[in-house]
Amino acid sequence: MEGRAAALGLELRIPSPVEEVEDDLFARQRIRLYLKRDDLIHPEVPGNKWRKLNYNLEAAADLGHDTLLTFGGAYSNHIRATAAAGHHLGFSTIGVIRGEERLPLNPSLAYAASRGMQLTYMDRATYRVKKNPKNPEAIEALHQQFGDFYLLPEGGSNELAARGCAEIPQEIAFAFDVICCPCGTGGTLAGIAAELQRGQRAIAFSALKGGQFLAAEVDELQRRAFGATSDNYTIECEFHFGGFARKTAELQAFIDDFRQRHGLTLEWVYVAKMMYGIRALAERGVFQPGTRVVAVITG
Ligand SMILES: Cc1ncc(COP(=O)(O)O)c(C=O)c1O
């Protein structure tokens, strides 16, 4: 899809740049910290959004679909990115939003609608079971209403998404030891961990409270995408700051300090929690002196 994107004038910054961060705390411990700036891939389809969509859009086109349908909460980054990708690459898009319609639309949904996405709403009980193969009625009803479409799962995480994310470590030209990413559904981690060399490991930081269940999701995605699981990753579950899309004064102070020292405003739902977690692990002496740590800025 990158070829088609370029042909349609969608300029993607791939490979995304890698930047070293000069930071006293890490320097004192002789740890080198690098940022893999996936947030710079495209302003409207940034970070792991493009990585996850790339091969899915290719599959949709190959299968002759002209419509994408996907799911998300009312503030979903994935909904926005799918709307933008569809607009730029010539797909119609349908966004199935969890819960009741609220008017006026919030800025995320207003943006998706401005990119041509048709919005529809699904009650929370149906939304919870929509993926369960024992309950095919929810998806069948969507086909009855909207006809043929290529279905992207919530958060965009499926096998093809994991394969797209596997390209992140492939693009890093130097030998690193640890690669870190945020974790919401596990698709990004599943891809990254599958593509590491022997001796390298991945650490993911759950943006959700109670993220322990994510390891099983990652394993399942790896099995489906790559035929095997990898045992080279861990998921840190203590840096959720109260839960998904919750923020504390401490997290905000960290974001402000990082911006002042490094000139980068960290996306707070996922990326800031990861960066805070990396710093906390460094302070605890988890990384040996000389460790090269790459943090993937996923959005
Ligand atoms: C900026 C950002 N980082 C990380 C994630 C989590 O990625 P995953 O769902 O693949 O674990 C998301 C959500 O998809 C996100 O929007």
Side-chain angles (χ1 to χ4, degrees):
M1 192 48 60
E2 272 154 35
R4 172 162 162 179
L8 290 169
L10 185 67
E11 280 183 36
L12 298 167
R13 205 158 164 203
I14 289 195
S16 65
V18 180
E19 298 166 354
E20 184 161 5
V21 179
E22 307 292 342
D23 189 300
D24 287 351
L25 170 89
F26 291 91
R28 270 200 302 279
Q29 310 212 26
R30 295 206 297 111
I31 298 164
R32 295 182 73 174
L33 176 65
Y34 302 85
L35 306 183
K36 173 77 172 145
R37 295 290 307 273
D38 265 21
D39 56 313
L40 299 178
I41 289 177
H42 189 270
E44 291 178 90
V45 198
N48 64 353
K49 300 294 162 287
W50 174 257
R51 304 279 184 189
K52 289 181 182 184
L53 283 169
N54 183 17
Y55 291 119
N56 274 295
L57 300 187
E58 208 162 274
D62 287 350
L63 293 167
H65 291 284
D66 55 16
T67 302
L68 310 170
L69 178 140
T70 195
F71 300 91
Y75 290 90
S76 164
N77 289 331
H78 166 70
I79 287 283
R80 292 173 61 109
T82 303
H87 167 79
H88 287 293
L89 298 172
F91 292 96
S92 303
T93 55
I94 300 164
V96 182
I97 310 302
R98 180 179 55 227
E100 302 290 305
E101 180 177 31
R102 298 241 167 107
L103 293 173
L105 295 176
N106 72 35
S108 284
L109 295 182
Y111 168 84
S114 78
R115 284 308 194 202
M117 181 174 260
Q118 187 176 348
L119 298 172
T120 183
Y121 296 82
M122 186 178 265
D123 70 84
R124 285 164 195 271
T126 313
Y127 194 92
R128 259 195 304 278
V129 299
K130 67 187 180 306
K131 248 178 36 178
N132 190 332
K134 288 188 196 138
N135 294 293
E137 297 85 6
I139 304 295
E140 278 166 17
L142 289 168
H143 275 296
Q144 267 165 27
Q145 192 176 349
F146 297 108
D148 184 36
F149 52 73
Y150 182 87
L151 193 147
L152 290 160
E154 186 174 16
S157 285
N158 59 9
E159 297 91 305
L160 293 175
R163 282 197 217 151
C165 293
E167 293 180 353
I168 298 171
Q170 289 169 4
E171 287 178 8
I172 304 172
F174 60 89
F176 61 89
D177 305 292
V178 178
I179 184 163
C180 299
C181 67
C183 199
T185 61
T188 308
L189 172 61
I192 288 175
E195 204 41 53
L196 296 183
Q197 308 285 326
R198 191 187 290 268
Q200 293 180 323
R201 66 196 166 97
I203 306 177
F205 294 83
S206 173
L208 328 164
K209 198 177 194 163
Q212 288 80 1
F213 75 95
L214 287 165
E217 305 272 318
V218 172
D219 286 351
E220 177 57 21
L221 266 174
Q222 285 192 327
R223 246 180 248 117
R224 295 208 315 257
F226 309 104
T229 59
S230 68
D231 58 1
N232 55 359
Y233 74 84
T234 46
I235 303 178
E236 297 291 332
C237 294
E238 67 177 288
F239 303 106
H240 56 73
F241 290 88
F244 185 66
R246 296 277 169 87
K247 180 159 62 170
T248 63
E250 191 184 3
L251 184 66
Q252 188 56 53
F254 175 77
I255 293 169
D256 294 343
D257 177 63
F258 197 94
R259 184 177 50 242
Q260 269 163 23
R261 288 188 306 126
H262 304 300
L264 174 64
T265 303
L266 301 171
E267 182 275 343
W268 69 272
V269 178
Y270 291 97
V271 178
K273 294 181 182 183
M274 166 188 69
M275 292 306 295
Y276 184 103
I278 295 173
R279 193 188 65 174
L281 296 188
E283 279 172 341
R284 286 178 205 168
V286 165
F287 305 118
Q288 298 288 320
T291 303
R292 290 174 170 212
V293 179
V294 178
V296 184
I297 308 298
T298 45

